[in-house]
Amino acid sequence: MSLLHRIEHPRDALAWEGDMPTLGRYTAGIAGEKFFRAIQEHGQFLGTVCPICEIVYVPPRLYCEQCFEHLDEWIEISPIGWVHTFTLVHLDLDGNPLPEPLPLAFIQLDGADGGLVHFLDEIDPEQIFVGMPVEAVFKDPAERKGSILDIAYFRPV
Amino acid sequence: MIREVAIVGVGWSGFRPITPDLSYKELMYEAAVQAYEEAGIDPRRDVDSFVTVAEDYNEGTSIFDEYVPDQLGALHRPVQTISGEGIHGLAAAVMQILTGQFDVVVVEGHSKASNILTLPYILAFAFDPVFNRPLAVHPYYVAGMEMLRYQVESGTSHYECACVAAKNRNNALLNPLAGYGAAISAADVMASEPVAEPLTRLECAGHSDGCITLVLAAGETARALTDTPVWVRGIGWANDTPWLESRPWGEARYAQAAAEMVYRTAGIKSPRAEIDFAEIDDTFAYKELQHLEALNLCPPGAAGEWTAAGGTEIGGEFPVNPSGGALGQGHLLDATGLARVLEVVLQLRGQAGQRQIETAEVGLAFGWRGVPTTGGAAVILSN
Ligand SMILES: [Zn+2]
């Protein structure tokens, strides 16, 4: 036996709308705190080093995801890197077209094995290429809040 | 594997872009009844355990797993819900049978995507809340960046990626279950609106509502229930790093790791020679190519050329996504991998109608959890 009755007209199909209440706090953690404070207070990137795997983690972590060692060696990382890959986003979160395509990139930072996902600016989107050298532009110190958005964007060097 | 396991019944509801008439419970009930009738079992008597896959945020209900027993006939029985890809659920069911404690286990996955009015926001909410979410960009940016890096590293052209979308949408025309069939060309795909360059709209799977239910049974029980058991030969799953900041971008390492496990458990040494066809995640067109290479079904960088030359069409040397895939059927959220499995089962039984592959004896299904994840699961089935 399966469904014997069907609703045959859209007007008869009832539905109720509702939303999900989700307000929370996301703790930056020991490593995240150090990383964001260095950006906020000094306009500086910090990373952690796994001496066993010779991996430099940016953003920093307290453990190596390859060998699972605890990491406690901290180093300063250059705000300069290069575009590992990028995209031009054309839609907002509602699926509507953006007035201008929005360039985002994964920036591989010099001296690190990782990097950051962030906006690109001060460049014609048509001129962006994989391998392009870029540098971080930080917000004015007074506007920084200890957030990833304390980096305003990356721009060509 | 230490015990034989077979799929002895399949059921589905949908797949359609909208289902305003049916609640998710009715979608599940419809698919379950079909699967139980096909397997010739009564769920109230014959099923030892039930496994479903679902995400609370997709359902709009917290502790969603509590809402699955009644429409499956699972009251007073072992039930678990996994927040994972559909094939992760299949893996859990297979393992339950391998313990020897369960002989008949049911797996279920569904999508009521049309009821999610803010789907991109739900996906964006899956990003790391500290490092990524504040950017507040449409989540498909990750796919655009992956696609470009994959192209750079593999030498794959945009045209070759677009060929996947054209092939799968055309395959879907042969599949009555598929809601997104279209007679389109790669040129049409490339000319559609950009979403996150180089990715275009027709390279992204739309969404469908639907449900898939599978009945699994241990060897002797399976033979008693059906003359056409579809045997589970191997299963594998793996994750890569969740950090956008550490992932390789060009390669699907989660798929490489899942492939190693599925081939090891199935005893397969030369996948391309020992497998006849595959249903592989194609949530985005380039993903089918990246996954084909990661699954070692062609050499690195060769999937695009192979696809553009027609090698993966239904009549080609190695058909990929004869069902139409997610591009042709619509993405079914957590159930997408089970749709891949369903097609492999129908092909191995010779029930795939106009899209039937002639020499379908061993098939592979691979599911990916979508952006921003690096989680994948694979299964190998044979008749
Ligand atoms: Zn290490």
Side-chain angles (χ1 to χ4, degrees):
Chain A
M1 189 70 73
S2 191
L3 302 180
L4 292 178
H5 301 282
R6 291 283 183 178
I7 291 167
E8 292 174 15
H9 199 283
R11 274 197 304 251
D12 300 329
L14 276 176
W16 287 265
E17 286 194 17
D19 56 9
M20 295 187 267
T22 53
L23 190 59
R25 286 166 54 79
Y26 299 97
T27 305
I30 294 166
E33 180 95 23
K34 261 185 140 164
F35 178 70
F36 287 116
R37 291 284 177 230
I39 292 175
Q40 186 178 15
E41 291 163 15
H42 309 293
Q44 218 177 52
F45 291 146
L46 294 181
T48 51
V49 182
C50 177
I52 298 165
C53 303
E54 299 183 326
I55 293 174
V56 176
Y57 286 96
V58 180
R61 271 157 262 177
L62 293 187
Y63 46 85
C64 174
E65 63 181 23
Q66 298 294 334
C67 73
F68 211 54
E69 277 298 307
H70 176 72
L71 307 183
D72 55 9
E73 183 184 339
W74 288 76
I75 57 168
E76 189 188 335
I77 301 293
S78 155
I80 293 174
W82 64 92
V83 172
H84 181 74
T85 186
F86 69 97
T87 184
L88 304 179
V89 179
H90 287 256
L91 301 178
D92 68 15
L93 276 165
D94 291 304
N96 299 315
L98 291 167
E100 298 289 334
L102 179 65
L104 273 102
F106 177 71
I107 295 107
Q108 177 79 52
L109 292 167
D110 284 349
D113 290 280
L116 296 168
V117 172
H118 224 288
F119 304 111
L120 295 178
D121 208 335
E122 296 188 40
I123 182 165
D124 172 2
E126 297 302 315
Q127 304 300 315
I128 302 168
F129 59 94
V130 169
M132 185 174 77
V134 292
E135 64 178 355
V137 176
F138 296 97
K139 280 186 182 161
D140 186 78
E143 292 176 36
R144 294 182 204 158
K145 293 174 176 155
S147 144
I148 196 72
L149 297 179
D150 288 355
I151 307 164
Y153 49 82
F154 282 75
R155 69 178 173 203
V157 179
Chain B
M1 296 202 293
I2 55 174
R3 200 176 184 213
E4 289 181 307
V5 181
I7 296 171
V8 297
V10 294
W12 60 84
S13 181
F15 315 132
R16 298 192 293 282
I18 59 171
T19 51
D21 52 337
L22 297 182
S23 71
Y24 76 88
K25 280 184 183 274
E26 290 162 350
L27 284 170
M28 289 172 66
Y29 175 71
E30 191 165 67
V33 166
Q34 188 188 340
Y36 301 155
E37 294 212 345
E38 207 187 53
I41 57 167
D42 175 351
R44 305 299 301 136
R45 188 189 62 211
D46 304 322
V47 178
D48 300 317
S49 172
F50 299 79
V51 179
T52 77
V53 289
E55 299 276 352
D56 285 2
Y57 269 90
N58 287 341
E59 306 295 340
T61 303
S62 48
I63 323 181
F64 177 77
D65 49 294
E66 288 291 316
Y67 288 89
V68 300
D70 51 326
Q71 64 273 34
L72 292 175
L75 259 59
H76 320 131
R77 298 293 176 83
V79 185
Q80 67 178 138
T81 297
I82 289 177
S83 67
E85 219 291 318
I87 299 176
H88 288 119
L90 177 59
V94 168
M95 288 189 287
Q96 290 190 1
I97 293 178
L98 293 180
T99 66
Q101 302 299 307
F102 305 89
D103 285 331
V104 178
V105 179
V106 164
V107 185
E108 183 275 344
H110 65 273
S111 160
K112 187 72 176 170
S114 68
N115 269 3
I116 307 174
L117 303 182
T118 54
L119 195 48
Y121 288 87
I122 302 278
L123 275 187
F125 204 68
F127 283 64
D128 182 283
V130 177
F131 289 95
N132 309 130
R133 205 188 294 164
L135 299 181
V137 179
H138 194 291
Y140 283 8
Y141 83 84
V142 170
M145 289 185 5
E146 269 194 8
M147 176 176 171
L148 179 66
R149 189 67 205 177
Y150 165 70
Q151 287 188 259
V152 167
E153 289 180 12
S154 67
T156 304
S157 69
H158 193 179
Y159 169 78
E160 289 166 341
C161 295
C163 283
V164 171
K167 166 180 70 73
N168 293 356
R169 297 288 289 268
N170 277 279
N171 285 355
L173 289 170
L174 306 175
N175 184 353
L177 276 176
Y180 287 87
I184 54 170
S185 68
D188 297 329
V189 173
M190 291 174 75
S192 63
E193 311 89 277
V195 169
E197 289 184 49
L199 191 69
T200 67
R201 183 176 56 81
L202 291 177
E203 290 176 293
C204 306
H207 285 85
S208 278
D209 294 352
C211 179
I212 296 132
T213 304
L214 309 174
V215 180
L216 274 62
E220 286 315 305
T221 308
R223 287 189 184 86
L225 287 171
T226 178
D227 296 331
T228 56
V230 169
W231 300 101
V232 178
R233 297 295 181 187
I235 196 134
W237 66 98
N239 277 58
D240 197 359
T241 179
W243 291 79
L244 294 181
E245 291 81 359
S246 292
R247 62 178 60 180
W249 290 99
E251 289 180 291
R253 287 195 192 146
Y254 55 92
Q256 293 168 6
E260 280 170 28
M261 181 175 170
V262 78
Y263 296 146
R264 175 165 42 81
T265 53
I268 284 181
K269 302 276 187 282
S270 313
R272 173 61 193 82
E274 295 176 57
I275 299 170
D276 301 312
F277 69 102
E279 284 276 318
I280 291 178
D281 179 88
D282 62 332
T283 300
F284 305 102
Y286 74 93
K287 274 287 174 190
E288 179 173 310
L289 303 178
Q290 192 190 38
H291 287 152
L292 268 174
E293 293 170 12
L295 294 164
N296 199 18
L297 292 166
C298 68
E305 201 179 335
W306 196 24
T307 301
T312 59
E313 289 174 4
I314 288 171
E317 55 175 318
F318 188 85
V320 178
N321 287 324
S323 69
L327 287 162
Q329 294 186 321
H331 196 272
L332 290 157
L333 303 178
D334 320 303
T336 305
L338 294 180
R340 305 281 69 74
V341 172
L342 173 64
E343 176 70 5
V344 173
V345 170
L346 296 177
Q347 290 282 353
L348 292 172
R349 288 178 176 174
Q351 295 173 343
Q354 282 183 279
R355 62 188 192 284
Q356 181 65 45
I357 295 158
E358 283 184 15
T359 52
E361 292 173 3
V362 181
L364 178 149
F366 178 77
W368 168 55
R369 289 186 78 192
V371 289
T373 82
T374 52
V379 62
I380 290 174
L381 303 171
S382 73
N383 55 20

